[in-house]
């Protein structure tokens, strides 16, 4: 069959099945994987040029991680580095130990049990990034933490694959690992120099034309990913590093917007290829162990992550949301099992078992992540075990006149105004780092999750005069407004939205005012024209004051947040 016709038929079939999935309100990823099963060798056998599709899928993976890197500014990596390493390594360790014990109970030998146990530890970075991107949760606290420990998992997986591969190539693992470490240090030094001195003028040159900037971005991302691959690293790590390097430029958001449609097309081919390569041999004999191991991955892995994050001081909601991102196995798992089979370490039955677990957990975790916000309220009362105990509440709850929910770039301005009003106010945030910074600045702050009704009940919202929420999530703001209005009809409630229809709904729920940042800027500029007319001096004064304000925000490391609706 002609290659063009083959790819066209696959895309048409994918569009049809994805359309059915959308009508049935099912995750699109499931539709793509089912398309792969249909076009694979076991059903229609349409996918003959798997090598070409594989290359396309690699481009999609590289672009996906490149865009993620564009949002991972170096300061964010430093901020969440410790929790990512502790959670990533801890989850791999505990899942391996528990998984090994479970697999041994089914009569597998020690070598096979070790392979399967390790395969159960790795979660699919690609699938999770796609789901979080679709939900627009990549920038949330749990999203950033999840990206961090998933990348730690990928590094561990790469080292394990190198170790296993060394058996077939007759190489020593330590020699290969030390050589990679040396290459990594040299490459990191060169990239630091480029990021500091080469990229700024280069990106400025290409940014003069949008087409040039787009072409330069693809060249930089894929070129660096290829360089990493040639030096023995994974394409994924190279693409991510390329994105992080460009995240320091002023154009990273524009680049990210332009790359997303291209990314989505190629990533779809990745999921189709994944579905076509799933193998189900000896399925009947594997049903019971596949069921038990799938339950372990879907429930056990999240519990491990929730425990670790709870010990690190994060809320039960953050732990729950982040925990769901490890409720499936990865493409690394399937690669590891295939490699073990080629080396004669394990049988095809073990490969089939992990394949079934992969399909079940990928499907199951997709539903769990997409509907996490609806599931959490039902489980919240039972999740306090995974959260550090708060100190006992005092008999008299401190009363505050004003509340600020969410201290981010927008919240900074409100804190300054609250101080000037000389009223008692409280800032609420669920990021331990933000809470620590505010505490050091002697700003009244409380660690908590606005989406937790029990936490809101602890606050004296009945006597609040003013409540401001800078949290961009519509469901959280809707819940907060309705909660306040149920106990306080007089308070001024100001929330934020990046969507007109959502803003109208928030007004219906009782919001006093809904901030829409993109409209507010234009509205203020129009007011200045109306007020100042053609007075150049007054505009010059506004310009001077605004530049001074922007410099102050820049010193604090703030940057204008991106409207979620534009993503």
């Amino acid at each position: 069959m002609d290659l063009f016709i083959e790819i066209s038929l696959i895309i048409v079939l994918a569009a049809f099945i994805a359309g059915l999935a959308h009508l049935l309100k099912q995750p699109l990823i499931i539709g793509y994987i089912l398309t792969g099963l249909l076009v694979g060798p076991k059903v229609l056998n349409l996918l003959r040029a798997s090598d070409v599709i594989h290359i396309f899928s690699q481009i999609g993976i590289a672009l996906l991680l490149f865009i993620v890197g564009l949002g991972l500014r170096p300061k964010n990596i430093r901020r969440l580095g410790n929790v990512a390493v502790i959670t990533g390594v801890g989850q791999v360790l505990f899942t391996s130990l528990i998984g090994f014990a479970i697999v041994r109970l089914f009569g597998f030998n020690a070598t096979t049990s070790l392979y399967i146990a390790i395969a159960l530890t790795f979660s699919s970075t690609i699938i999770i990034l796609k789901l979080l991107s679709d939900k627009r949760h990549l920038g949330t606290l749990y999203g950033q933490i999840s990206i961090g420990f998933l990348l730690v998992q990928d590094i561990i997986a790469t080292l394990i694959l190198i170790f296993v591969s060394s058996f077939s190539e007759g190489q020593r693992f330590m020699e290969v690992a030390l050589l990679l470490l040396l290459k990594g240090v040299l490459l990191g030094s060169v990239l630091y120099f480029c990021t500091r001195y080469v990229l700024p003028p280069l990106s400025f040159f290409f940014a003069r034309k949008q087409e040039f900037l787009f072409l330069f971005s693809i060249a930089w991302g894929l070129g660096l990913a290829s360089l990493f691959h040639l030096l023995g690293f994974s394409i994924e790590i190279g693409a991510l590093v390329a994105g992080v390097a460009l995240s320091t430029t002023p154009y990273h958001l524009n680049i990210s917007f332009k790359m997303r449609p291209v990314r989505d097309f190629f990533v779809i081919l990745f999921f189709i290829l994944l579905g076509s390569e799933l193998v189900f041999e000896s399925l009947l004999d594997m049903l019971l162990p596949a069921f038990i191991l799938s339950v372990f991955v879907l429930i056990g892995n999240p519990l491990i992550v929730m425990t670790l994050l709870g010990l690190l001081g994060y809320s039960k909601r953050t732990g729950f949301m982040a925990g769901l991102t490890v409720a499936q196995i990865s493409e690394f798992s399937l690669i590891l099992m295939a490699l073990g089979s080629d080396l004669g370490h394990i049988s095809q039955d073990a490969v089939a078992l992990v394949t079934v677990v992969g399909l079940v957990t990928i499907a199951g975790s997709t539903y769990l992540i997409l509907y996490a916000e609806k599931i959490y309220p039902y489980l919240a009362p039972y999740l306090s075990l995974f959260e550090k105990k708060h100190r006992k509440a005092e008999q008299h709850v401190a009363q505050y006149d004003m509340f600020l929910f969410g201290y981010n770039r927008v919240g900074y301005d409100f804190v300054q105004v609250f101080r000037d009003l000389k009223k008692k106010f409280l800032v609420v945030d669920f990021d331990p780092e933000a809470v620590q910074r505010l505490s050091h600045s002697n700003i009244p702050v409380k660690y908590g999750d606005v989406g937790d009704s029990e936490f809101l009940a602890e606050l004296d919202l009945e006597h609040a005069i003013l409540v401001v929420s800078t949290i961009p999530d519509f469901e959280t703001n809707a819940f907060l407004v309705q909660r306040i209005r149920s106990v306080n009809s007089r308070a001024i409630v100001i929330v934020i939205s990046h969507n007109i229809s959502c803003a109208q709904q928030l007004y219906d729920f009782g919001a006093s005012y809904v901030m829409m940042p993109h409209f507010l800027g234009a509205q203020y500029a129009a007011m200045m024209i109306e007020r100042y007319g053609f007075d150049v001096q007054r505009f010059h004064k506004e310009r001077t004051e605004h530049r001074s304000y922007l410099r102050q925000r820049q010193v604090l490391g703030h940057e204008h947040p991106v409207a979620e609706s534009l993503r």
Side-chain angles (χ1 to χ4, degrees):
M1 186 186 299
D2 182 78
L3 179 61
F4 180 82
I5 296 175
E6 178 182 326
I7 294 177
S8 299
L9 285 174
I10 292 171
I11 293 173
V12 169
L13 187 60
F16 175 74
I17 295 176
L20 288 178
H22 180 69
L23 288 175
L24 297 172
K25 297 183 178 180
Q26 303 302 306
L28 293 182
I29 286 179
I30 302 299
Y32 303 147
I33 294 175
L34 287 176
T35 302
L37 285 171
L38 286 176
V39 302
K42 299 297 182 181
V43 186
L44 299 177
N45 196 24
L46 290 177
L47 205 164
R48 307 288 180 83
S50 58
D51 291 343
V52 176
I53 302 296
H54 177 69
I55 292 172
F56 285 168
S57 69
Q58 280 189 312
I59 293 174
I61 293 168
L63 293 178
L64 178 63
L65 282 153
F66 176 64
I67 292 173
V68 170
L70 288 170
L72 286 177
R73 299 177 71 82
K75 63 180 181 181
N76 293 336
I77 296 174
R78 288 193 296 270
R79 180 169 65 90
L80 296 173
N82 290 336
V83 65
V85 172
I86 293 171
T87 310
V89 174
Q91 185 264 318
V92 168
L93 179 62
F94 286 113
T95 300
S96 298
L97 293 174
I98 299 172
F100 181 82
I102 294 174
V103 177
R104 287 288 281 167
L105 291 176
F106 287 107
F108 289 95
N109 61 45
T111 301
T112 302
S113 298
L114 184 61
Y115 265 93
I116 295 175
I118 293 174
L120 298 180
T121 65
F122 303 128
S123 305
S124 179
T125 304
I126 310 304
I127 292 175
I128 298 306
L129 290 180
K130 183 69 171 67
L131 290 172
L132 293 182
S133 177
D134 290 345
K135 293 183 69 177
R136 297 170 181 169
H137 282 188
L138 285 173
T140 62
L141 177 62
Y142 91 86
Q144 296 282 299
I145 292 173
S146 299
I147 292 169
F149 63 63
L150 287 172
L151 292 174
V152 170
Q153 281 189 8
D154 286 351
I155 293 171
I156 296 173
T158 301
L159 292 174
I160 290 175
L161 289 176
I162 292 171
F163 175 72
V164 175
S165 299
S166 65
F167 284 102
S168 62
E169 298 173 3
Q171 296 176 310
R172 293 182 179 178
F173 170 71
M174 288 304 298
E175 292 179 359
V176 177
L178 287 174
L179 182 60
L180 280 178
L181 180 62
L182 179 61
K183 291 178 181 177
V185 171
L186 292 174
L187 197 55
S189 302
V190 173
L191 280 174
Y192 176 79
F193 176 81
C194 290
T195 303
R196 193 75 182 269
Y197 302 106
V198 178
L199 271 182
L202 198 61
S203 59
F204 176 77
F205 171 77
F206 282 104
R208 294 176 180 177
K209 282 277 189 180
Q210 291 296 311
E211 295 89 345
F212 284 164
L213 184 62
F214 178 70
L215 183 61
F216 166 71
S217 304
I218 293 180
W220 174 262
L222 297 184
L224 207 55
S226 299
L227 177 61
F228 268 69
H229 181 62
L230 288 173
L231 292 176
F233 299 94
S234 70
I235 290 174
E236 292 84 357
I237 296 296
L240 182 80
V241 171
V244 172
L246 270 183
S247 72
T248 59
T249 68
Y251 319 107
H252 67 282
L253 297 176
N254 190 27
I255 294 170
S256 179
F257 294 150
K258 290 185 176 296
M259 299 281 278
R260 286 190 174 114
V262 183
R263 170 206 67 184
D264 289 342
F265 171 73
F266 286 110
V267 168
I268 287 171
L269 295 178
F270 164 79
F271 290 114
I272 293 173
L273 184 66
L274 178 65
S276 70
E277 292 178 342
L278 293 176
V279 180
F280 303 100
E281 303 292 343
S282 307
L283 182 59
L284 292 177
D285 297 334
M286 295 295 164
L287 285 180
L288 180 59
F291 173 76
I292 299 297
L293 293 177
S294 297
V295 170
F296 170 62
V297 172
L298 287 167
I299 299 177
N301 277 357
L303 291 178
I304 291 170
V305 169
M306 288 168 62
T307 302
L308 292 170
L309 288 178
L311 292 173
L312 291 171
Y314 289 89
S315 71
K316 59 185 180 182
R317 187 177 188 275
T318 299
F320 175 76
M321 295 296 184
L324 293 182
T325 63
V326 295
Q328 84 292 126
I329 64 172
S330 164
E331 58 279 0
F332 276 120
S333 306
L334 303 178
I335 293 171
L336 175 65
M337 297 303 291
L339 186 58
S341 176
D342 292 341
L343 293 172
H345 294 172
I346 58 176
S347 66
Q348 277 297 318
D349 288 344
V351 178
L353 172 61
V354 173
T355 301
V356 174
V357 173
L359 184 61
V360 172
T361 56
I362 287 171
S365 65
T366 299
Y367 288 104
L368 289 174
I369 292 170
L370 290 179
Y371 298 103
E373 286 78 7
K374 296 181 179 179
I375 297 172
Y376 176 75
Y378 296 100
L379 299 179
Y382 310 102
L383 299 179
S384 298
L385 177 66
F386 302 99
E387 188 175 50
K388 278 188 175 180
K389 297 292 184 182
H390 296 293
R391 289 179 297 179
K392 289 185 178 180
E394 298 178 4
Q395 291 183 346
H396 300 285
V397 179
Q399 288 190 4
Y400 295 95
D401 300 305
M402 300 178 292
F403 290 88
L404 172 62
F405 292 99
Y407 179 81
N408 50 23
R409 300 167 184 84
V410 180
Y412 167 83
D413 288 319
F414 288 104
V415 168
Q416 309 309 311
V417 173
F418 285 6
R419 279 175 160 173
D420 295 338
L421 290 174
K422 307 297 183 184
K423 295 283 188 180
K424 290 185 66 177
F425 70 92
L426 178 70
V427 179
V428 177
D429 205 296
F430 70 174
D431 182 356
E433 297 280 349
V435 171
Q436 189 177 50
R437 288 198 305 273
L438 290 168
S439 297
H440 290 162
S441 301
N442 295 320
I443 295 174
V445 61
K446 190 175 184 68
Y447 174 83
D449 182 3
V450 184
D452 187 344
S453 59
E454 296 175 7
F455 171 73
L456 288 181
E458 295 179 5
L459 304 178
D460 188 22
L461 296 173
E462 293 89 343
H463 300 93
I465 301 172
L466 173 65
V467 179
V468 178
S469 170
T470 66
I471 300 168
D473 182 64
F474 167 73
E475 292 182 356
T476 301
N477 281 327
F479 173 73
L480 178 63
V481 172
Q482 292 177 87
R483 176 79 185 193
I484 294 170
R485 287 304 179 218
S486 68
V487 297
N488 187 337
S489 60
R490 303 177 306 279
I492 299 170
V493 183
I494 300 174
V495 294
I496 196 168
S497 176
H498 296 293
N499 181 287
I500 293 177
S501 62
C502 290
Q504 295 285 17
Q505 290 183 63
L506 290 170
Y507 277 125
D508 292 338
F509 291 142
S512 305
Y513 186 75
V514 180
M515 298 178 287
M516 300 195 70
H518 282 64
F519 293 148
L520 275 177
Q523 188 178 22
Y524 181 74
M527 287 172 59
M528 283 197 302
I529 295 173
E530 183 180 16
R531 188 182 306 162
Y532 301 157
F534 303 106
D535 192 331
V536 176
Q537 293 300 321
R538 298 183 73 178
F539 273 102
H540 182 73
K541 182 181 177 183
E542 284 280 352
R543 173 180 179 271
T544 303
E545 291 176 354
H546 192 223
R547 292 195 68 178
S548 175
Y549 169 77
L550 291 177
R551 280 193 292 270
Q552 182 183 1
R553 297 298 294 269
Q554 199 169 29
V555 169
L556 293 170
H558 295 175
E559 184 177 329
H560 193 284
V562 184
E564 291 293 332
S565 59
L566 294 178
R567 292 189 176 185

